[in-house]
Amino acid sequence: MKVLSAAFVSCLLLCTVSAAQASYQFKSFQNPSATVTRVFGMNGHGDLVGTDNTIPGRHAFLVNRDSYVSLDSSGVLGTHISFARDINDDGDIVGGYIGDDGNEHGFILRHDVLITLDVPFAGSVGTQLDGINNSGIITGVWVDGAFTAHGFVYEKGSFAHLDYPGALDTFPYGINSRGDVVGNWDTDQSTVGHGFVFSRGQIFSIDVPDAVPDGTAANGINDSGQIVGSFIGEDGNSPGFLVEGSTFTTLDCVEGANTGVWGINSAGQIAGTCDVAGQRLGFVANRIPMKKP
């Protein structure tokens, strides 16, 4: 795996036609009986997955056309700490749960059947599945005995390593239908680090211009190549962002703070989590069409 040359990175980010500044209408929500709702994934139908405390603790959920489901409520996901991280258009859900052994294990929930999926790599003490595309290709993170995070891609029964060159930790979070992967990497676990994009066998770093050094995380990517994530600004705030070509747009919940944008689908809808009036809420945001002059 090679790092892109500076010229190629610039062309990939800057030679794309820049979009106009985007505006979104946000709708925040709290799941039934919950005080914490965190949204991590969204598919092309607008279905949302994440974790909440509707059942005491933290447990995986699905919101499907405004219908709420606590996933596997009487099984492993409902009786252990669990996180749903992504959902594809077929309704396949991936994530992680804390097992009786105290380690995190990856899971796939397909047609109401739960499958545990852990990496087979020597030294692994934990697996989290973070993204799944419409072809069923999965990306995620495994942790070694030194609690260093490594990335992987899982396709047709085979695991492949995905680590940013020179990084201490690599966290792949999102994958689109082309197999492009986004995430973040760091050289110091006390920082957020930098975003990255892995595409067509090449990998390169991405930072929001207004972010502090080591303060950008890329979380999701759609089939148009639009990227979403979050960053720490020079003013100390933590908004979300959208990248379209060379244009970076800051995204914030209305009257909210600490906006983490985790998902963007093919329609350009975005989803994530933010703090509003002291509560941790999920949100969905729809793009507001530009008015013709």
Side-chain angles (χ1 to χ4, degrees):
M1 190 183 303
K2 297 185 297 183
V3 179
L4 292 180
S5 68
F8 190 82
V9 171
S10 296
C11 190
L12 190 57
L13 288 176
L14 302 179
C15 294
T16 308
V17 176
S18 297
Q21 201 77 351
S23 296
Y24 279 82
Q25 183 175 24
F26 282 76
K27 176 186 177 182
S28 57
F29 64 93
Q30 191 74 277
N31 283 338
S33 303
T35 59
V36 174
T37 297
R38 302 187 69 184
V39 174
F40 291 125
M42 176 177 59
N43 65 13
H45 307 300
D47 302 330
L48 307 172
V49 294
T51 189
D52 66 18
N53 62 349
T54 293
I55 300 174
R58 293 287 189 274
H59 301 282
F61 73 82
L62 165 68
V63 174
N64 184 338
R65 299 177 180 84
D66 296 325
S67 175
Y68 172 84
V69 178
S70 186
L71 295 173
D72 191 37
S73 59
S74 59
V76 170
L77 302 186
T79 57
H80 296 68
I81 295 172
S82 59
F83 303 82
R85 302 288 303 196
D86 200 13
I87 180 171
N88 67 12
D89 289 353
D90 290 331
D92 299 334
I93 298 171
V94 296
Y97 67 90
I98 306 300
D100 293 333
D101 58 1
N103 295 328
E104 186 168 5
H105 301 273
F107 75 81
I108 306 170
L109 186 62
R110 179 178 290 137
H111 304 305
D112 296 323
V113 176
L114 186 74
I115 303 167
T116 296
L117 182 66
D118 289 332
V119 301
F121 304 140
S124 172
V125 297
T127 301
Q128 183 179 88
L129 310 186
D130 289 320
I132 183 169
N133 67 14
N134 290 334
S135 298
I137 303 172
I138 295 168
T139 192
V141 176
W142 67 278
V143 179
D144 63 26
F147 297 101
T148 300
H150 307 273
F152 68 86
V153 174
Y154 176 78
E155 181 178 6
K156 298 178 180 178
S158 297
F159 288 88
H161 291 277
L162 177 57
D163 283 320
Y164 192 90
L168 176 63
D169 300 290
T170 302
F171 299 90
Y173 288 133
I175 184 169
N176 66 13
S177 294
R178 293 196 302 265
D180 301 331
V181 177
V182 296
N184 78 295
W185 65 277
D186 65 58
T187 56
D188 181 345
Q189 292 181 339
S190 67
T191 68
V192 173
H194 312 268
F196 76 81
V197 181
F198 175 73
S199 179
R200 298 181 178 90
Q202 306 290 333
I203 194 166
F204 61 95
S205 190
I206 180 172
D207 288 292
V208 175
D210 294 332
V212 299
D214 302 321
T216 299
N219 299 328
I221 183 170
N222 66 10
D223 291 349
S224 298
Q226 296 170 309
I227 298 168
V228 292
S230 55
F231 70 97
I232 301 172
E234 297 284 357
D235 58 3
N237 292 324
S238 298
F241 71 84
L242 166 70
V243 181
E244 300 175 286
S246 62
T247 301
F248 286 76
T249 299
T250 299
L251 301 170
D252 266 320
C253 285
V254 178
E255 300 181 353
N258 300 320
T259 301
V261 187
W262 283 94
I264 181 166
N265 64 17
S266 56
Q269 287 180 302
I270 64 172
T273 301
C274 62
D275 296 336
V276 178
Q279 293 193 63
R280 196 68 167 158
L281 306 179
F283 72 80
V284 179
N286 294 303
R287 193 162 192 159
I288 300 172
M290 295 286 291
K291 292 183 179 180
K292 294 182 179 180

